[in-house]
Amino acid sequence: MIVPKFGVGTFRLEGQVVIDSVKNALDVGYRAVDTAQIYGNEAEVGQAITESHVHRDELFITTKIWIDHLKKDHLIASLKESLQKLRTDAVNLTLIHWPAPSLGISIEEMMQNLLEAKQQGLTEHIGISNFNIDFTQQAIDAVGVENIATNQIELSPYLQNQKLVNFLQQQNIDVTSYMTLAYGKVLNDPVLTEIAQNHHATTAQIALAWALNQDFAVIPSSTKRENLIANLEAQNIQLSPEEMQMISSLERQSREVDPEGLAPIWD
């Protein structure tokens, strides 16, 4: 697996809030940080990493190319700008954030532009985010499956996306789950609550363990140090096949993020 199993997300966190979150995460043991150009917080993430005194070689930093920068003349320049903000010579992973079919840029073009960034040494690995099966196959055809480290997709007990997950795992493309807690909607679920009681755990830990038990990488965010620590402890929870089956029955295809014009037609 290329992508670390556990990282800290920074979506919707800005200013001092994201600085404190990332510094706390690194302090309690996280070594992977996920950001994106559109989050508007790369500079703060870079500041937090610098102030944390964790050596760069120990970290795995991911950012994502926004849709305005998918063309060749924009992509490389925008990534170089991201690197300046992040205070690093290269990131470990760069993703196409959304396939944005309405823009009329082919998957082949954007992937080849991203591969060029890798060849220039600006990013160690490249990958995709929010791609359906069709677009993932087009990305594979464009740059080779060996050049696609992950597809970062929305996954939670309420959105299990099994068809896409199966395809990615068959291709040996790492699955990164975001929105694993469905904006907190799963936290009061009675099934997760019952399983959490069995493990003396929180429902958040059970949702994260559900993803980890399927070999997904997870990138939950939190502004609270105690929650960052608790989330990390989800790695120690082994769910039984019966418990995994109970969670699989929660599927309701409840998608939290589906921006018109940016998202593909989902499988």
Side-chain angles (χ1 to χ4, degrees):
M1 193 163 190
I2 291 170
V3 180
K5 288 295 290 286
F6 219 102
V8 65
T10 61
F11 177 54
R12 287 190 158 181
L13 304 184
E14 298 176 348
Q16 193 61 43
V17 172
V18 75
I19 292 170
D20 293 343
S21 174
V22 172
K23 285 172 76 170
N24 275 323
L26 296 178
D27 194 42
V28 302
Y30 289 75
R31 289 298 177 265
V33 182
D34 182 274
T35 184
Q37 292 175 342
I38 197 63
Y39 296 174
N41 63 15
E42 289 173 315
E44 288 80 1
V45 169
Q47 179 183 336
I49 288 168
T50 302
E51 292 177 359
S52 76
H53 304 301
V54 176
H55 199 273
R56 175 67 183 90
D57 290 350
E58 296 179 47
L59 295 174
F60 192 98
I61 303 172
T62 299
T63 194
K64 309 178 200 78
I65 303 292
W66 188 239
I67 61 167
D68 296 346
H69 304 141
L70 295 176
K71 291 184 181 296
K72 184 165 187 175
D73 50 345
H74 290 170
L75 191 148
I76 302 276
S78 79
L79 183 52
K80 286 179 177 176
E81 192 177 318
S82 293
L83 298 181
Q84 284 186 324
K85 292 175 180 175
L86 290 163
R87 306 189 193 186
T88 186
D89 295 333
V91 284
N92 300 88
L93 176 62
T94 304
L95 309 178
I96 300 293
H97 202 151
W98 288 92
S102 66
L103 290 184
I105 302 169
S106 72
I107 301 297
E108 179 181 22
E109 180 183 347
M110 63 182 76
M111 291 309 300
Q112 288 179 345
N113 296 343
L114 192 57
L115 182 59
E116 173 67 22
K118 178 182 178 181
Q119 290 165 344
Q120 288 189 23
L122 304 176
T123 182
E124 184 182 3
H125 304 287
I126 62 174
I128 54 181
S129 179
N130 300 301
F131 277 46
N132 63 5
I133 292 174
D134 177 33
F135 286 166
T136 301
Q137 186 61 59
Q138 288 182 45
I140 291 169
D141 293 343
V143 296
V145 72
E146 70 279 4
N147 280 309
I148 302 173
T150 191
N151 188 2
Q152 185 179 120
I153 53 176
E154 182 186 345
L155 287 169
S156 77
Y158 291 169
L159 179 73
Q160 300 187 21
N161 234 326
Q162 203 59 56
K163 195 173 173 186
L164 177 55
V165 165
N166 290 346
F167 174 79
L168 295 170
Q169 292 183 328
Q170 285 163 6
Q171 300 292 328
N172 290 319
I173 295 173
D174 291 351
V175 176
T176 303
S177 163
Y178 76 80
M179 215 67 77
T180 315
L181 308 181
Y183 277 144
K185 289 181 181 176
V186 303
L187 298 183
N188 296 315
D189 187 274
V191 170
L192 295 182
T193 301
E194 179 187 338
I195 296 170
Q197 288 168 347
N198 295 341
H199 289 269
H200 305 289
T202 66
T203 48
Q205 288 173 325
I206 297 303
L208 293 168
W210 162 82
L212 293 165
N213 277 223
Q214 297 178 83
D215 282 331
F216 304 162
V218 294
I219 44 172
S221 65
S222 181
T223 57
K224 296 179 180 174
R225 186 182 178 93
E226 60 268 29
N227 288 350
L228 287 164
I229 293 168
N231 287 345
L232 210 51
E233 290 170 352
Q235 295 175 101
N236 302 322
I237 298 172
Q238 189 62 45
L239 299 174
S240 70
E242 293 76 21
E243 288 168 330
M244 290 295 288
Q245 185 57 44
M246 287 167 70
I247 298 173
S248 76
S249 72
L250 299 178
E251 168 70 279
R252 54 180 74 167
Q253 290 167 5
S254 175
R255 190 176 294 280
E256 302 297 329
V257 185
D258 195 19
E260 191 176 344
L262 304 189
I265 296 167
W266 298 106
D267 300 294

mmCIF file of all heavy atoms in Angstrom, residues 10 13-26 41 43-49 51:
data_model
loop_
_atom_site.group_PDB
_atom_site.id
_atom_site.type_symbol
_atom_site.label_atom_id
_atom_site.label_comp_id
_atom_site.label_asym_id
_atom_site.label_seq_id
_atom_site.Cartn_x
_atom_site.Cartn_y
_atom_site.Cartn_z
ATOM 1 N N THR A 10 -7.804 17.947 6.409
ATOM 2 C CA THR A 10 -7.848 19.380 6.731
ATOM 3 C C THR A 10 -8.999 20.102 6.026
ATOM 4 O O THR A 10 -9.035 21.332 6.012
ATOM 5 C CB THR A 10 -6.517 20.058 6.363
ATOM 6 O OG1 THR A 10 -6.301 19.922 4.943
ATOM 7 C CG2 THR A 10 -5.345 19.443 7.116
ATOM 8 N N LEU A 13 -11.009 23.356 7.354
ATOM 9 C CA LEU A 13 -10.254 23.970 8.455
ATOM 10 C C LEU A 13 -9.375 25.084 7.892
ATOM 11 O O LEU A 13 -8.691 24.886 6.889
ATOM 12 C CB LEU A 13 -9.390 22.927 9.173
ATOM 13 C CG LEU A 13 -10.110 21.688 9.727
ATOM 14 C CD1 LEU A 13 -9.134 20.813 10.495
ATOM 15 C CD2 LEU A 13 -11.284 22.085 10.622
ATOM 16 N N GLU A 14 -9.396 26.221 8.560
ATOM 17 C CA GLU A 14 -8.657 27.368 8.049
ATOM 18 C C GLU A 14 -7.906 28.066 9.183
ATOM 19 O O GLU A 14 -8.198 27.862 10.360
ATOM 20 C CB GLU A 14 -9.619 28.381 7.397
ATOM 21 C CG GLU A 14 -10.375 27.829 6.202
ATOM 22 C CD GLU A 14 -11.387 28.830 5.648
ATOM 23 O OE1 GLU A 14 -11.664 29.838 6.322
ATOM 24 O OE2 GLU A 14 -11.891 28.587 4.528
ATOM 25 N N GLY A 15 -6.939 28.916 8.799
ATOM 26 C CA GLY A 15 -6.265 29.795 9.745
ATOM 27 C C GLY A 15 -5.622 29.054 10.903
ATOM 28 O O GLY A 15 -5.072 27.966 10.748
ATOM 29 N N GLN A 16 -5.718 29.647 12.087
ATOM 30 C CA GLN A 16 -5.098 29.060 13.274
ATOM 31 C C GLN A 16 -5.696 27.709 13.616
ATOM 32 O O GLN A 16 -5.027 26.844 14.182
ATOM 33 C CB GLN A 16 -5.230 30.020 14.466
ATOM 34 C CG GLN A 16 -4.359 29.661 15.661
ATOM 35 C CD GLN A 16 -2.873 29.665 15.339
ATOM 36 O OE1 GLN A 16 -2.383 30.564 14.667
ATOM 37 N NE2 GLN A 16 -2.150 28.650 15.812
ATOM 38 N N VAL A 17 -6.968 27.510 13.243
ATOM 39 C CA VAL A 17 -7.639 26.237 13.539
ATOM 40 C C VAL A 17 -6.915 25.080 12.855
ATOM 41 O O VAL A 17 -6.652 24.042 13.476
ATOM 42 C CB VAL A 17 -9.120 26.284 13.100
ATOM 43 C CG1 VAL A 17 -9.770 24.907 13.218
ATOM 44 C CG2 VAL A 17 -9.879 27.305 13.930
ATOM 45 N N VAL A 18 -6.570 25.246 11.579
ATOM 46 C CA VAL A 18 -5.884 24.157 10.869
ATOM 47 C C VAL A 18 -4.440 24.017 11.338
ATOM 48 O O VAL A 18 -3.913 22.901 11.433
ATOM 49 C CB VAL A 18 -5.982 24.331 9.337
ATOM 50 C CG1 VAL A 18 -5.061 25.414 8.800
ATOM 51 C CG2 VAL A 18 -5.681 23.009 8.635
ATOM 52 N N ILE A 19 -3.805 25.127 11.683
ATOM 53 C CA ILE A 19 -2.436 25.055 12.216
ATOM 54 C C ILE A 19 -2.424 24.218 13.499
ATOM 55 O O ILE A 19 -1.626 23.287 13.650
ATOM 56 C CB ILE A 19 -1.880 26.473 12.484
ATOM 57 C CG1 ILE A 19 -1.677 27.227 11.166
ATOM 58 C CG2 ILE A 19 -0.550 26.400 13.258
ATOM 59 C CD1 ILE A 19 -1.367 28.700 11.330
ATOM 60 N N ASP A 20 -3.347 24.531 14.400
ATOM 61 C CA ASP A 20 -3.406 23.798 15.675
ATOM 62 C C ASP A 20 -3.763 22.329 15.458
ATOM 63 O O ASP A 20 -3.195 21.440 16.110
ATOM 64 C CB ASP A 20 -4.439 24.444 16.613
ATOM 65 C CG ASP A 20 -4.019 25.832 17.080
ATOM 66 O OD1 ASP A 20 -2.816 26.165 16.952
ATOM 67 O OD2 ASP A 20 -4.892 26.586 17.565
ATOM 68 N N SER A 21 -4.705 22.068 14.536
ATOM 69 C CA SER A 21 -5.120 20.688 14.275
ATOM 70 C C SER A 21 -3.955 19.853 13.760
ATOM 71 O O SER A 21 -3.701 18.739 14.248
ATOM 72 C CB SER A 21 -6.268 20.671 13.271
ATOM 73 O OG SER A 21 -6.590 19.345 12.911
ATOM 74 N N VAL A 22 -3.241 20.380 12.770
ATOM 75 C CA VAL A 22 -2.118 19.623 12.186
ATOM 76 C C VAL A 22 -0.990 19.459 13.196
ATOM 77 O O VAL A 22 -0.407 18.371 13.315
ATOM 78 C CB VAL A 22 -1.630 20.296 10.882
ATOM 79 C CG1 VAL A 22 -0.353 19.636 10.378
ATOM 80 C CG2 VAL A 22 -2.720 20.233 9.808
ATOM 81 N N LYS A 23 -0.684 20.509 13.946
ATOM 82 C CA LYS A 23 0.390 20.402 14.952
ATOM 83 C C LYS A 23 0.024 19.380 16.024
ATOM 84 O O LYS A 23 0.861 18.561 16.432
ATOM 85 C CB LYS A 23 0.677 21.771 15.579
ATOM 86 C CG LYS A 23 1.456 22.693 14.661
ATOM 87 C CD LYS A 23 1.587 24.099 15.197
ATOM 88 C CE LYS A 23 2.611 24.216 16.292
ATOM 89 N NZ LYS A 23 2.874 25.644 16.613
ATOM 90 N N ASN A 24 -1.232 19.410 16.459
ATOM 91 C CA ASN A 24 -1.674 18.411 17.442
ATOM 92 C C ASN A 24 -1.607 17.002 16.867
ATOM 93 O O ASN A 24 -1.169 16.064 17.542
ATOM 94 C CB ASN A 24 -3.111 18.715 17.895
ATOM 95 C CG ASN A 24 -3.170 19.722 19.021
ATOM 96 O OD1 ASN A 24 -2.321 19.716 19.904
ATOM 97 N ND2 ASN A 24 -4.165 20.597 18.994
ATOM 98 N N ALA A 25 -2.045 16.856 15.611
ATOM 99 C CA ALA A 25 -2.026 15.532 14.970
ATOM 100 C C ALA A 25 -0.596 14.984 14.901
ATOM 101 O O ALA A 25 -0.346 13.819 15.245
ATOM 102 C CB ALA A 25 -2.633 15.618 13.576
ATOM 103 N N LEU A 26 0.325 15.826 14.469
ATOM 104 C CA LEU A 26 1.713 15.375 14.361
ATOM 105 C C LEU A 26 2.285 15.066 15.743
ATOM 106 O O LEU A 26 3.056 14.124 15.912
ATOM 107 C CB LEU A 26 2.557 16.429 13.643
ATOM 108 C CG LEU A 26 2.162 16.703 12.180
ATOM 109 C CD1 LEU A 26 3.038 17.799 11.580
ATOM 110 C CD2 LEU A 26 2.236 15.448 11.325
ATOM 111 N N ASN A 41 -5.784 26.286 2.526
ATOM 112 C CA ASN A 41 -5.026 26.198 3.781
ATOM 113 C C ASN A 41 -3.630 25.584 3.625
ATOM 114 O O ASN A 41 -3.000 25.213 4.617
ATOM 115 C CB ASN A 41 -5.835 25.420 4.825
ATOM 116 C CG ASN A 41 -6.114 23.966 4.418
ATOM 117 O OD1 ASN A 41 -5.493 23.426 3.510
ATOM 118 N ND2 ASN A 41 -7.057 23.331 5.104
ATOM 119 N N ALA A 43 -0.810 26.925 2.930
ATOM 120 C CA ALA A 43 0.232 27.714 3.606
ATOM 121 C C ALA A 43 0.213 27.443 5.113
ATOM 122 O O ALA A 43 1.277 27.311 5.751
ATOM 123 C CB ALA A 43 0.046 29.198 3.323
ATOM 124 N N GLU A 44 -0.983 27.349 5.679
ATOM 125 C CA GLU A 44 -1.096 27.070 7.118
ATOM 126 C C GLU A 44 -0.643 25.646 7.436
ATOM 127 O O GLU A 44 0.000 25.417 8.467
ATOM 128 C CB GLU A 44 -2.544 27.278 7.579
ATOM 129 C CG GLU A 44 -2.975 28.726 7.639
ATOM 130 C CD GLU A 44 -3.372 29.329 6.298
ATOM 131 O OE1 GLU A 44 -3.337 28.608 5.270
ATOM 132 O OE2 GLU A 44 -3.721 30.514 6.260
ATOM 133 N N VAL A 45 -0.966 24.720 6.563
ATOM 134 C CA VAL A 45 -0.486 23.343 6.752
ATOM 135 C C VAL A 45 1.041 23.323 6.708
ATOM 136 O O VAL A 45 1.696 22.686 7.546
ATOM 137 C CB VAL A 45 -1.088 22.399 5.686
ATOM 138 C CG1 VAL A 45 -0.397 21.038 5.706
ATOM 139 C CG2 VAL A 45 -2.596 22.232 5.907
ATOM 140 N N GLY A 46 1.618 24.031 5.742
ATOM 141 C CA GLY A 46 3.071 24.124 5.659
ATOM 142 C C GLY A 46 3.686 24.736 6.909
ATOM 143 O O GLY A 46 4.728 24.275 7.400
ATOM 144 N N GLN A 47 3.027 25.767 7.429
ATOM 145 C CA GLN A 47 3.508 26.405 8.659
ATOM 146 C C GLN A 47 3.456 25.430 9.830
ATOM 147 O O GLN A 47 4.405 25.325 10.615
ATOM 148 C CB GLN A 47 2.652 27.645 8.969
ATOM 149 C CG GLN A 47 3.057 28.371 10.244
ATOM 150 C CD GLN A 47 2.139 29.546 10.557
ATOM 151 O OE1 GLN A 47 1.499 30.102 9.668
ATOM 152 N NE2 GLN A 47 2.063 29.922 11.817
ATOM 153 N N ALA A 48 2.349 24.710 9.942
ATOM 154 C CA ALA A 48 2.187 23.752 11.037
ATOM 155 C C ALA A 48 3.251 22.660 10.984
ATOM 156 O O ALA A 48 3.825 22.283 12.015
ATOM 157 C CB ALA A 48 0.795 23.125 10.981
ATOM 158 N N ILE A 49 3.510 22.164 9.776
ATOM 159 C CA ILE A 49 4.527 21.115 9.621
ATOM 160 C C ILE A 49 5.901 21.649 10.023
ATOM 161 O O ILE A 49 6.660 20.983 10.749
ATOM 162 C CB ILE A 49 4.531 20.594 8.171
ATOM 163 C CG1 ILE A 49 3.271 19.750 7.912
ATOM 164 C CG2 ILE A 49 5.785 19.787 7.869
ATOM 165 C CD1 ILE A 49 3.026 19.414 6.461
ATOM 166 N N GLU A 51 6.605 24.143 12.040
ATOM 167 C CA GLU A 51 6.652 24.411 13.483
ATOM 168 C C GLU A 51 6.600 23.143 14.324
ATOM 169 O O GLU A 51 6.949 23.164 15.510
ATOM 170 C CB GLU A 51 5.502 25.350 13.875
ATOM 171 C CG GLU A 51 5.666 26.757 13.308
ATOM 172 C CD GLU A 51 4.490 27.674 13.625
ATOM 173 O OE1 GLU A 51 3.529 27.210 14.283
ATOM 174 O OE2 GLU A 51 4.543 28.855 13.211
#
